[in-house]
Each structure stands twice: as C-alpha cells, then as structure tokens.
Amino acid sequence: MGSHSDKHLLYCDWSKRDSLLVTKKQFQDDLLHSYTEMNKYGIHRDNAPYFLPPYEWYNDSIAAWTKELGLQLINFTPGTLSNADYSTPDLKNYRDSKTIFRSVINFSNERAAGLNGFILLLHIGTDPARTDKFYRLLPQLLQELKLKGYRFQTVDQLLHP
C-alpha cells in the first residue's frame, strides 16, 4: 500500500509534461498530509513506501521529489481499463464495471505474457455518483484469474522478490 496523494492534485500539464502546476512545497505538503490521514487508520509511512501519483501523471521533478521523501514512485501497467473505475456516468470516458472486468480478462487472453508482472490500478474510494463500484467485482475477478493460473503479489513482493 501507499499514497495516491491527499487532494488528488494535477502535478504537471497534460500537454507540456515538463511544466509543473505545483511547487515543491505544495507537492510535499499534499503527499505528507496523505500519510497523516493514513496514519489515523494504522497505516504508517514506513509500511506504505509506494506512491502512485494522482491521474497517474507525473514528470521527472515529481519522481525526484518523491525519492527525496524516501518513497518509491510507481505506476499502473497500461493496457486494461482497470484504472477507469473512478469514472462516473456523466463523463465521456465512463466505463461500467462489466466493461472494465472484460477488458482485464480479454487482455490476459490476448497477450502471450498475459498479465504477468502487471500492476492493476483499482480505486477503493470512488465518487458517490459511481454506484457501479468495480471493487465489488474484485472477488470474481481474482477467482477467474486464479483459475487461469495467476498468483497475486503485493507491489513490494513484485519489486523486491
């Protein structure tokens, strides 16, 4: 486990990735506040050293600042729609949970390597407007993938076997 930020700030411009939209202090304050919040639930920074930037969008400055805080920046593996589980029906890019589920299964079937080494991003906290919560299908997804021979690892097990 790790942080995904506190306020879900966009750190850099969508079209000019090298252009920062936050200062180093804003970045640090946001990230450290997320750990203050997680600490309330017994999740301590030492046990949750991974940081997946909001919007899964960052640049070299964000990577360097993350490292300065003693954290490891990670990102999901693209190819499935698992990361679209945040979307709500009013958005153009909305994907319902069945579509997301099928995208993961189809991807595992269509690539020779399947999902080996894959990092799927699922959001456990999503907007209340999304009543079709993908995480409710997680037990079924895990069961189907286990039947295909997959075994699951935490990010730290994947990065430090």
Side-chain angles (χ1 to χ4, degrees):
M1 180 174 257
S3 177
H4 190 51
S5 93
D6 183 51
K7 301 295 183 205
H8 211 266
L9 303 175
L10 182 60
Y11 296 141
C12 50
D13 190 275
W14 287 112
S15 57
K16 288 185 67 183
R17 198 172 195 160
D18 62 341
S19 298
L20 287 165
L21 301 175
V22 295
T23 65
K24 184 175 184 178
K25 181 172 178 5
Q26 288 171 316
F27 167 78
Q28 290 174 333
D29 288 350
D30 180 65
L31 184 52
L32 293 175
H33 190 260
S34 71
Y35 280 96
T36 299
E37 290 300 308
M38 292 187 326
N39 195 43
K40 293 176 184 176
Y41 299 94
I43 302 166
H44 304 284
R45 190 168 139 184
D46 293 343
N47 299 324
Y50 301 103
F51 172 60
L52 200 155
Y55 304 99
E56 300 73 58
W57 193 247
Y58 61 94
N59 61 22
D60 59 348
S61 295
I62 299 301
W65 296 345
T66 300
K67 187 175 183 176
E68 285 175 19
L69 291 173
L71 300 169
Q72 174 65 54
L73 189 144
I74 62 168
N75 210 342
F76 75 103
T77 308
T80 73
L81 297 173
S82 71
N83 62 307
D85 67 337
Y86 75 90
S87 62
T88 55
D90 60 311
L91 298 175
K92 286 185 222 176
N93 65 337
Y94 173 70
R95 299 294 189 274
D96 65 78
S97 291
K98 287 182 183 176
T99 299
I100 295 170
F101 185 97
R102 291 290 355 133
S103 80
V104 174
I105 298 302
N106 290 343
F107 194 89
S108 75
N109 292 336
E110 293 167 0
R111 285 188 62 231
L115 296 171
N116 290 322
F118 225 78
I119 298 175
L120 288 174
L121 171 60
L122 307 176
H123 295 87
I124 57 172
T126 59
D127 192 295
R130 184 183 180 99
T131 57
D132 177 30
K133 307 286 189 187
F134 182 65
Y135 58 75
R136 291 184 183 134
L137 294 179
L138 186 56
Q140 182 183 344
L141 178 64
L142 295 176
Q143 181 180 14
E144 191 160 332
L145 292 173
K146 282 180 182 178
L147 289 172
K148 292 173 152 295
Y150 288 101
R151 58 186 176 83
F152 303 96
Q153 296 180 312
T154 60
V155 171
D156 60 331
Q157 291 170 325
L158 183 66
L159 296 178
H160 306 286

